[in-house]
Amino acid sequence: MEIKKVGVVGCGLMGSGVAQVAAMAGFPTVVREVSNELLSKGLGGIEKSLAKFAEKGQITAEQKAASFARLQPTLKLQDFAECDLVIEAIIENLDRKRELFRELDAIAKPEAIFASNTSSLSVTEMMTATRRASQFLGLHFFNPVPLMKLVEVVKTVATDAAVLESALAYARAVGKTPIVTSDRGGFIVNRLLVPYLLDSIRALEEGVGTIVDIDNGMKLGCGHPMGPLTLNDFVGIDTTFYISEIMFNEYREKRFAAPPLMKRMVAAGMLGRKSGKGFYDYSDPKNPKPNRELER
Ligand code: CAA
């Protein structure tokens, strides 16, 4: 099935990026939030990101304006009626996602494909809230969506082969490289990344090294663009904590268990970059300082 019009539910960090890359690739894109305030915040982020691409000459001023104009912001799910592909990027809560898909199922045209951007929840369990099991899959984008080249395409036991092909073609059309994975908690990337992120916190807890030395170890020794503690702050300590809980429940393996320090940081509201403090203090965002309290 050819995808001509895209819908994105949620205009937060991930949803805004997913909508942006669709619009930049030429797709008319409906993007929905639950309030005007959240919608404006998401659209503001898209505008900033487009401006960065334009400043660097990666897109022209006309392309920037045309991309933005392809976005149709809305508060109503009814506006997804004509979309060929609807990508969900709301809060990581299975009940909320199932409820949303149940509603969308009654609104979207029968041939429309549904996708979830979940990073760790079961796509199959979301699928069962709809009557379009064969047209349901995962499309997992990475943060920051406009820059990261990967999309995990998650097939369930019920996903139709032609639907999988359409999803792969869509990922390529928005400039990404797709990889195919089956519906197992964390898919490919988080299955490998989450234990690594958790282990970096365990290393800090055990006094293996300072925050800066642990990060420099992986940055300079392995060529990673960010050290693991910086990446924890970037993703959000609460987000990784939440993903680890889901994966621990799925696999019951120690490597997915959140370390005590992480749990306490979440309780204390030390969530990383977004809260101003995590493994680093972002009071001066251009010059983050290691949070020495955590090294004691
Ligand atoms: N849109 C457009 N441009 C952007 C941007 C955005 N959203 N974000 C950053 N940029 C630009 C910056 O303006 C900057 O431009 P200049 O080079 O002209 O200054 C450039 O990208 C590089 O940014 P920075 O200088 O701020 O920092 P950097 O060189 O470290 O690059 C990064 C930033 C691309 C994020 C890089 O650090 C990186 O790849 N980090 C790893 C990110 C990662 O692992 N993401 C996956 C997270 S896990 C996940 O998403 C899955 C999950 O389920 C949890």
Side-chain angles (χ1 to χ4, degrees):
M1 175 189 182
E2 200 193 340
I3 291 160
K4 292 192 187 125
K5 185 170 180 177
V6 176
V8 181
V9 196
C11 194
L13 187 66
M14 295 306 288
S16 61
V18 173
Q20 178 183 334
V21 296
M24 286 179 82
F27 294 95
T29 305
V30 182
V31 57
R32 183 257 196 178
E33 252 306 342
V34 289
S35 70
N36 275 318
E37 201 187 348
L38 289 173
L39 206 47
S40 305
K41 196 172 169 215
L43 293 172
I46 296 176
E47 221 166 357
K48 262 196 206 152
S49 174
L50 288 172
K52 278 187 197 169
F53 285 120
E55 267 165 37
K56 284 191 239 169
Q58 289 166 338
I59 57 171
T60 63
E62 291 73 39
Q63 284 169 322
K64 175 182 166 230
S67 300
F68 204 75
R70 280 186 208 106
L71 294 168
Q72 184 194 329
T74 184
L75 300 177
K76 297 193 305 254
L77 283 181
Q78 282 72 18
D79 290 340
F80 290 106
E82 294 308 315
C83 292
D84 304 300
L85 169 67
V86 181
I87 306 171
E88 165 278 315
I90 66 165
I91 184 172
E92 284 285 85
N93 175 298
L94 186 60
D95 290 338
R96 296 271 293 275
K97 287 182 194 276
R98 281 177 55 85
E99 184 51 39
L100 172 75
F101 279 120
R102 190 175 299 120
E103 278 181 58
L104 277 173
D105 201 28
I107 293 166
K109 54 187 178 185
E111 63 274 30
I113 297 172
F114 283 3
S116 173
N117 180 57
T118 186
S119 54
S120 48
L121 292 168
S122 161
V123 176
T124 310
E125 283 184 64
M126 287 174 225
M127 168 200 98
T128 56
T130 73
R131 287 159 301 159
R132 57 181 88 208
S134 61
Q135 290 156 237
F136 203 109
L137 36 66
L139 277 178
H140 182 213
F141 289 79
F142 289 81
N143 181 25
V145 179
L147 299 187
M148 304 311 281
K149 292 283 172 223
L150 187 74
V151 177
E152 287 184 302
V153 181
V154 186
K155 62 180 168 104
T156 75
V157 286
T159 309
D160 187 90
V163 170
L164 180 65
E165 280 310 313
S166 294
L168 291 170
Y170 175 74
R172 291 186 193 106
V174 298
K176 306 297 181 195
T177 300
I179 55 176
V180 179
T181 178
S182 60
D183 185 27
R184 297 284 182 280
F187 317 126
I188 293 173
V189 173
N190 278 339
R191 187 189 180 107
L192 300 173
L193 179 66
V194 169
Y196 162 68
L197 292 178
L198 299 178
D199 251 348
S200 70
I201 303 174
R202 283 190 259 274
L204 180 67
E205 276 184 324
E206 290 165 20
V208 173
T210 63
I211 291 170
V212 170
D213 284 351
I214 290 171
D215 271 353
N216 275 341
M218 296 311 287
K219 256 177 85 170
L220 307 179
C222 299
H224 290 194
M226 285 175 171
L229 297 170
T230 301
L231 188 53
N232 267 297
D233 278 357
F234 181 73
V235 173
I237 316 283
D238 53 338
T239 304
T240 307
F241 175 72
Y242 190 62
I243 295 174
S244 75
E245 295 273 279
I246 294 169
M247 293 182 73
F248 183 75
N249 279 335
E250 171 124 338
Y251 298 108
R252 306 281 164 169
E253 287 179 31
K254 195 180 166 201
R255 64 195 165 123
F256 299 112
L261 173 61
M262 184 182 213
K263 200 167 177 184
R264 277 149 188 77
M265 287 174 76
V266 173
M270 257 182 218
L271 308 180
R273 215 180 264 207
K274 63 183 166 189
S275 73
K277 208 171 193 182
F279 292 102
Y280 292 83
D281 184 326
Y282 297 90
S283 312
D284 175 6
K286 291 216 160 74
N287 186 22
K289 302 254 182 333
N291 184 352
R292 298 258 177 244
E293 297 291 309
L294 304 177
E295 289 175 345
R296 284 185 306 190

